[in-house]
Amino acid sequence: MTDRLSPGDPAPEFTLPTDTGGTLSLAGLRGRKVILYAYPAAMTPGCTKQACDFRDSLASLQAAGYEVVGISPDKPEKLAKFRDRDAITFPLVADTDKAVLTAYGAYGEKQMYGRTVTGVIRSTFVIDEDGKIERALYNVKATGHVAKLRRDLGLD
């Protein structure tokens, strides 16, 4: 079983390529609250629904001081197509070797259609201004998750 993060743990640092051809590092977001969400694959129905929910909530999340970053094992080129196709307005980072996903406990064994498989565990991490985990949510649902997160964060 993959080690999971808990509130108060330091968020694993990363610098990863983005959908825009640059890089994004967690250290570069220090001083801001970050919602890092891990999803299995760009342009699949569930991941598209989740990304669009974050996109549609982005203004209010940013008004409350949160930056949103999506992370998946997809290559930056696929992330760019996803961004363009669905008008994603926040950074998407590529963790092609899955090292960062593993460090966050978001890659490993999971149940899918009654079978045990290895893959990305749909997860969301709320990271505080100092780089500490505030919330670590594993096995979240693609649909309805953003609304629940907004309620949990006291934004609705």
Side-chain angles (χ1 to χ4, degrees):
M1 188 68 190
T2 305
D3 285 341
R4 294 196 167 185
L5 297 174
S6 300
D9 288 346
E13 290 292 338
F14 62 83
T15 300
L16 292 170
T18 69
D19 56 312
T20 59
T23 59
L24 183 137
S25 69
L26 185 59
L29 297 171
R30 197 73 75 239
R32 291 180 267 178
K33 296 181 275 191
V34 177
I35 296 170
L36 177 69
Y37 82 97
Y39 61 97
M43 298 195 280
T44 57
C47 297
T48 298
K49 172 73 174 127
Q50 188 178 24
C52 291
D53 284 352
F54 272 115
R55 177 200 65 205
D56 295 347
S57 290
L58 190 62
S60 64
L61 290 168
Q62 287 178 329
Y66 292 95
E67 297 294 328
V68 175
V69 178
I71 182 172
S72 79
D74 296 307
K75 291 186 165 87
E77 300 79 20
K78 185 174 180 186
L79 297 177
K81 287 179 186 164
F82 187 34
R83 177 198 68 226
D84 292 345
R85 186 190 80 173
D86 294 296
I88 306 300
T89 51
F90 52 85
L92 301 172
V93 296
D95 183 22
T96 55
D97 68 2
K98 305 168 191 79
V100 176
L101 289 162
T102 300
Y104 276 82
Y107 186 83
E109 285 190 355
K110 63 181 183 175
Q111 292 298 310
M112 198 162 132
Y113 306 114
R115 295 187 355 253
T116 300
V117 297
T118 300
V120 175
I121 299 161
R122 192 181 302 275
S123 308
T124 300
F125 306 93
V126 179
I127 303 166
D128 72 13
E129 297 89 340
D130 299 319
K132 297 261 191 260
I133 297 291
E134 202 172 278
R135 295 171 193 259
L137 309 166
Y138 293 95
N139 296 309
V140 301
K141 301 284 182 228
T143 303
H145 171 63
V146 176
K148 181 181 182 328
L149 181 65
R150 291 173 51 79
R151 284 191 303 275
D152 291 351
L153 295 173
L155 303 179
D156 286 336

